[in-house]
């Protein structure tokens, strides 16, 4: 049902919190986690290998020479077969019910031929870092959302079949 890609580049100090947040999800269904190391030179790879050994998550690990986040993202998309796909930055983490909330919203919108959903992000203090004041729009392209007032950082959830057809350049 759900895949998470976490691009990794010299993030050993953040990665444990990110991975712990995925382990702590209330959603216990079909979940794949793709970690794509984009040529880290810190302890990130050692950390990931420990997680893989401990079997806390269904982790699929890939290493590539440094080629940038879009290439890491595309590698994860290429490998997954689940319905939905989300990229979580390695210095971010999900609230314990984050995946459940994503799936709840997806159930409402997938029948409307949606290709994905946009989620707001917030700081640990609870302060939202995303804002959108146009309550009249709930279906548009990402560009149209930004042109209509969406501001700040977001989390983007896509249908995997769409990402497989339209990879990042």
């Amino acid at each position: 049902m759900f895949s998470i890609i976490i691009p990794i580049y010299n993030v050993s100090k953040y990665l444990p919190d990110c991975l712990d947040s995925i382990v702590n999800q209330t959603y216990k269904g079909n979940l794949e986690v793709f970690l794509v190391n984009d040529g880290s030179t810190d302890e990130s790879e050692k950390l990931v290998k420990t997680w893989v050994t401990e079997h806390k998550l269904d982790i699929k690990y890939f290493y590539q020479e440094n080629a940038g986040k879009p290439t890491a993202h595309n590698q994860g998309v290429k490998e997954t077969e689940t319905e939905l796909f989300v990229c979580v930055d390695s210095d971010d983490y999900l609230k314990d019910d984050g995946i459940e909330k994503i799936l709840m919203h997806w159930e409402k919108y997938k029948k409307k031929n949606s290709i994905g959903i946009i989620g707001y992000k917030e700081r640990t203090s609870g302060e939202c870092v995303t804002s959108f004041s146009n309550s009249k729009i709930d279906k548009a392209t990402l560009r149209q959302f930004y042109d209509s007032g969406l501001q700040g950082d977001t989390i983007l959830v896509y249908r995997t079949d769409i990402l497989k057809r339209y990879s990042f350049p």
Side-chain angles (χ1 to χ4, degrees):
M1 175 56 129
F2 203 82
S3 294
I4 298 173
I5 172 84
I6 304 171
I8 299 169
Y9 182 74
N10 293 341
V11 292
S12 59
K13 77 180 199 178
Y14 302 111
L15 197 53
D17 288 339
C18 180
L19 293 172
D20 279 340
S21 79
I22 296 168
V23 167
N24 294 329
Q25 289 299 299
T26 54
Y27 173 76
K28 299 300 180 196
N30 183 16
L31 177 66
E32 296 178 312
V33 179
F34 294 91
L35 301 177
V36 181
N37 188 338
D38 190 36
S40 292
T41 57
D42 67 353
E43 296 292 311
S44 294
E45 183 167 28
K46 184 178 176 184
L47 237 166
V48 169
K49 288 183 177 182
T50 300
W51 274 80
V52 169
T53 303
E54 292 176 357
H55 302 291
K56 291 183 179 181
L57 292 168
D58 177 16
I59 293 176
K60 293 172 180 64
Y61 177 67
F62 301 92
Y63 179 89
Q64 66 184 29
E65 292 301 319
N66 183 254
K69 182 179 174 181
T71 304
H73 185 277
N74 291 342
Q75 176 67 37
V77 171
K78 185 174 101 180
E79 299 295 331
T80 188
E81 297 299 325
T82 60
E83 179 182 12
L84 294 176
F85 187 91
V86 65
C87 182
V88 175
D89 291 337
S90 49
D91 61 346
D92 287 345
Y93 62 91
L94 298 173
K95 288 185 173 184
D96 290 351
D97 63 348
I99 294 173
E100 263 188 64
K101 283 185 176 179
I102 288 169
L103 293 175
M104 177 189 69
H105 289 289
W106 180 245
E107 286 303 312
K108 287 193 289 189
Y109 287 100
K110 75 178 183 178
K111 295 173 183 90
K112 297 178 181 182
N113 294 323
S114 296
I115 63 165
I117 54 177
I118 300 171
Y120 289 13
K121 287 187 177 183
E122 61 183 40
R123 301 189 195 297
T124 53
S125 65
E127 173 194 4
C128 194
V129 297
T130 312
S131 66
F132 188 59
S133 58
N134 189 342
S135 62
K136 294 181 178 150
I137 185 172
D138 75 340
K139 188 174 181 180
T141 66
L142 185 57
R143 171 59 30 220
Q144 289 168 328
F145 273 110
Y146 278 108
D147 289 347
S148 296
L150 180 66
Q151 295 180 339
D153 202 5
T154 59
I155 187 164
L156 304 172
V157 182
Y158 289 105
R159 283 185 12 216
T160 303
D161 64 324
I162 299 295
L163 287 177
K164 284 183 181 279
R165 289 195 318 232
Y166 303 100
S167 60
F168 281 98

